[in-house]
Amino acid sequence: RELDLVESIACLRYYAGWTDKIAGQTIPTDDLNKLAYTLHEPIGVCAQIIPWNYPIQMWTWKTAPALAAGCTVIMKPSELTPLTALKLCELIVEAGFPPGVLNCLPSTGPLGGAALSRHMDVDKIAFTGSTATGRKILQAAAQSNLKKVTLELGGKSPHLIFASADLDKAAEQAVLGIMSNMGQDCCGGSRIYAEASIYDKFIEKVAARAKEFSAKVGDPFADDTQGGPLVSAGQRDKVWGYIQSGINEGAKTIVGGKGWDGKGFYILPTVFTDIKPSMKIVREEIFGPVVAIGKFETEQEAIELANATTYGLAAGIQSSPVVLTSLSTKN
């Protein structure tokens, strides 16, 4: 109500404003016998494969710009959250869109997603999800009609905390940055590195914030709930496997690390310290409320640790403006 729905409405309104602003240009030349101009035309049929973590927002992100550009859309929602897309497509009909402009194709990835990726009449495909699936889509697109592809894949986003930062604010934002939506966010700051001089103080503050968040994990329909269950039993088990891996590889849990006693697909927020770069919880995307905290001595080491990943989606820095401006954006 406060995030997904509000931003989805804003997205639709924003792209609605673009519908009469997509135009080409007439380009002046030094030859009066020649006419030079550019023309923007719709790509055509756009297949959109969306994930389950933000089903309303992902639908609007994929649908609104395509429709504004004059394309038709085939929407394939996640098999875990199809009802949102089906309802939104009902509203498309109610709004008076002509038949065939937006089509909803509830299906599994290996069936519907694979078929769209290979289809010769699909001109573009956009996908948000795992890196492994993204590779399969690229391959299918290349082997069919070389359709255009846009991918937003996984993340293992670093969050750097410098000694000059407001530690209370940094701890609050670090916890929200990974625990929001119970960590089911590709931009979640799942790797935090704090400057050594404030490391102990910082992890104390993170632990306190994470415990406060954990106390409000429960019924997603309750007004005071901050965190609900994960999307499925399979996702819960996957995340729990990573927590067990972190413990087995020697990381220290300062919050969480224990199972949920009640019903539902819940994982309690878990904070690891004493981490090593080789650990799975540091290297792989977990997609749950689990964060690994390390330390750095120098700015250069912080940059190296942040970049020591095969992912590249998002990053965060908490510092004074002076330290922030000294960091090169190319790093």
Side-chain angles (χ1 to χ4, degrees), residues 53 58 128-129 131 151-158 185-188 191 285 287 306 309-316:
N53 55 333
M58 290 295 175
T128 298
T131 303
L151 303 175
E152 184 193 348
L153 306 179
K156 193 66 180 173
S157 302
D185 190 319
C186 52
C187 293
R191 294 183 298 135
E285 184 180 39
F287 225 63
T309 178
T310 57
Y311 297 96
L313 189 58

Side-chain angles (χ1 to χ4, degrees), residues 78-145:
S78 166
E79 57 268 34
L80 296 177
T81 53
L83 298 182
T84 302
L86 287 168
K87 183 60 182 179
L88 289 168
C89 289
E90 283 184 7
L91 295 176
I92 282 281
V93 174
E94 185 179 324
F97 277 69
V101 171
L102 195 150
N103 312 274
C104 195
L105 182 67
S107 177
T108 62
L111 183 61
L116 291 171
S117 302
R118 296 191 305 266
H119 205 288
M120 298 296 289
D121 291 330
V122 171
D123 301 294
K124 184 182 189 300
I125 190 161
F127 168 75
T128 298
S130 73
T131 303
T133 301
R135 288 194 181 100
K136 294 178 182 178
I137 289 172
L138 274 176
Q139 185 179 35
Q143 291 175 343
S144 53
N145 60 342

Side-chain angles (χ1 to χ4, degrees), residues 8-331:
S8 297
I9 293 170
C11 176
L12 290 172
R13 288 176 173 165
Y14 172 79
Y15 282 106
W18 269 105
T19 55
D20 60 354
K21 299 175 182 65
I22 302 174
Q25 292 179 303
T26 300
I27 302 170
T29 72
D30 57 2
D31 188 339
L32 296 179
N33 294 316
K34 293 181 179 179
L35 174 65
Y37 64 93
T38 62
L39 178 65
H40 292 181
E41 294 184 324
I43 290 174
V45 179
C46 296
Q48 315 279 30
I49 303 176
I50 60 174
W52 43 260
N53 55 333
Y54 293 101
I56 298 176
Q57 196 169 45
M58 290 295 175
W59 188 95
T60 58
W61 282 7
K62 293 287 192 289
T63 300
L67 294 179
C71 299
T72 56
V73 172
I74 302 173
M75 173 61 64
K76 195 209 84 64
S78 166
E79 57 268 34
L80 296 177
T81 53
L83 298 182
T84 302
L86 287 168
K87 183 60 182 179
L88 289 168
C89 289
E90 283 184 7
L91 295 176
I92 282 281
V93 174
E94 185 179 324
F97 277 69
V101 171
L102 195 150
N103 312 274
C104 195
L105 182 67
S107 177
T108 62
L111 183 61
L116 291 171
S117 302
R118 296 191 305 266
H119 205 288
M120 298 296 289
D121 291 330
V122 171
D123 301 294
K124 184 182 189 300
I125 190 161
F127 168 75
T128 298
S130 73
T131 303
T133 301
R135 288 194 181 100
K136 294 178 182 178
I137 289 172
L138 274 176
Q139 185 179 35
Q143 291 175 343
S144 53
N145 60 342
L146 285 173
K147 58 179 61 67
K148 299 179 185 296
V149 178
T150 302
L151 303 175
E152 184 193 348
L153 306 179
K156 193 66 180 173
S157 302
H159 195 164
L160 304 180
I161 314 296
F162 286 87
S164 59
D166 180 329
L167 294 188
D168 288 319
K169 182 179 291 185
E172 179 181 6
Q173 293 181 351
V175 170
L176 289 177
I178 183 60
M179 303 305 173
S180 294
N181 208 36
M182 293 308 284
Q184 299 168 120
D185 190 319
C186 52
C187 293
S190 54
R191 294 183 298 135
I192 300 175
Y193 296 103
E195 195 165 351
S197 61
I198 52 93
Y199 176 79
D200 290 337
K201 184 182 294 185
F202 176 73
I203 62 173
E204 287 180 6
K205 293 180 180 293
V206 167
R209 288 288 185 180
K211 288 175 182 176
E212 290 176 6
F213 190 97
S214 296
K216 295 183 178 181
V217 170
D219 181 0
F221 292 102
D223 289 337
D224 60 345
T225 295
Q226 282 195 297
L230 301 192
V231 69
S232 65
Q235 185 64 19
R236 175 201 59 194
D237 295 344
K238 175 186 173 184
V239 174
W240 181 246
Y242 276 108
I243 292 173
Q244 290 298 304
S245 172
I247 294 170
N248 294 338
E249 290 185 318
K252 179 181 177 182
T253 55
I254 60 172
V255 177
K258 299 177 182 178
W260 177 260
D261 292 332
K263 295 173 62 177
F265 307 141
Y266 288 87
I267 290 285
L268 287 171
T270 298
V271 180
F272 282 107
T273 59
D274 296 350
I275 61 172
K276 297 178 181 178
S278 60
M279 293 177 175
K280 283 182 66 176
I281 58 170
V282 178
R283 292 185 292 107
E284 299 181 11
E285 184 180 39
I286 299 173
F287 225 63
V290 181
V291 65
I293 308 179
K295 66 177 72 173
F296 63 87
E297 297 284 349
T298 66
E299 181 181 302
Q300 184 58 38
E301 184 185 9
I303 293 171
E304 290 174 358
L305 287 168
N307 289 336
T309 178
T310 57
Y311 297 96
L313 189 58
I317 299 174
Q318 304 278 153
S319 73
S320 70
V322 174
V323 172
L324 185 59
T325 53
S326 74
L327 287 170
S328 171
T329 55
K330 68 181 181 181
N331 292 320

